[in-house]
Amino acid sequence: MTVDQLIFDYLFQLSLNSGYSTYDHLPLETENAPYPFVVIGSVQTLPVVTKNALQGQLVANVDVWGDGEGRFKVSQMMNDIFVQSSQPVELDGYSVRLKIDDYDNQIIQDTSVPNTVLNHGMMTLVFNLN
């Protein structure tokens, strides 16, 4: 399995294990996804190849969506995912550790759906891969 898929699966399972509705895409209107929910988005691999191993960084984007009154819940969910992902983990022989000093998050109000205000939390998680 590729390292980007390993971290994607890890974050997806971490979110599910926390009891959050979790998707690999922004749910379609026909999916009737209740708020709040988590979307595990893109994962970028920044490899550093050595003689003996693949090292580098993995950059993962995680979004949390809540309704207009759910900002506090969105913030809690983001913090929970951050805290849980900050624990070092072994994934298929790779040692993966979150770079806490590179953590980035924000919550914005999204009005892209007519007559609706949503809270959109966006996190960027950077992992060292050894």
Side-chain angles (χ1 to χ4, degrees):
M1 188 176 298
T2 62
V3 292
D4 66 300
Q5 189 64 48
L6 287 170
I7 201 70
F8 180 92
D9 291 349
Y10 166 72
L11 291 169
F12 197 93
Q13 195 61 51
L14 183 148
S15 180
L16 284 177
N17 290 346
S18 297
Y20 304 140
S21 298
T22 306
Y23 299 88
D24 62 357
H25 62 281
L26 194 57
L28 302 172
E29 187 176 339
T30 57
E31 292 178 274
N32 250 353
Y35 293 104
F37 59 82
V38 175
V39 177
I40 308 299
S42 64
V43 177
Q44 180 182 10
T45 306
L46 305 171
V48 174
V49 179
T50 66
K51 287 183 181 182
N52 301 322
L54 173 64
Q55 297 179 346
Q57 294 181 338
L58 299 165
V59 181
N61 294 301
V62 178
D63 295 286
V64 180
W65 289 86
D67 62 21
E69 297 176 5
R71 189 194 187 288
F72 181 72
K73 183 63 176 173
V74 168
S75 180
Q76 281 183 315
M77 291 169 67
M78 290 172 65
N79 186 66
D80 184 41
I81 292 169
F82 166 71
V83 169
Q84 288 189 60
S85 66
S86 68
Q87 302 302 313
V89 66
E90 287 286 324
L91 300 175
D92 201 28
Y94 294 100
S95 176
V96 178
R97 179 182 295 267
L98 183 68
K99 289 186 66 184
I100 294 172
D101 57 338
D102 282 345
Y103 173 65
D104 181 48
N105 75 28
Q106 67 175 319
I107 299 174
I108 63 168
Q109 287 195 330
D110 182 299
T111 57
S112 61
V113 177
N115 301 314
T116 305
V117 176
L118 301 172
N119 283 292
H120 180 191
M122 298 169 280
M123 294 190 294
T124 302
L125 302 170
V126 180
F127 296 89
N128 280 330
L129 175 69
N130 295 313

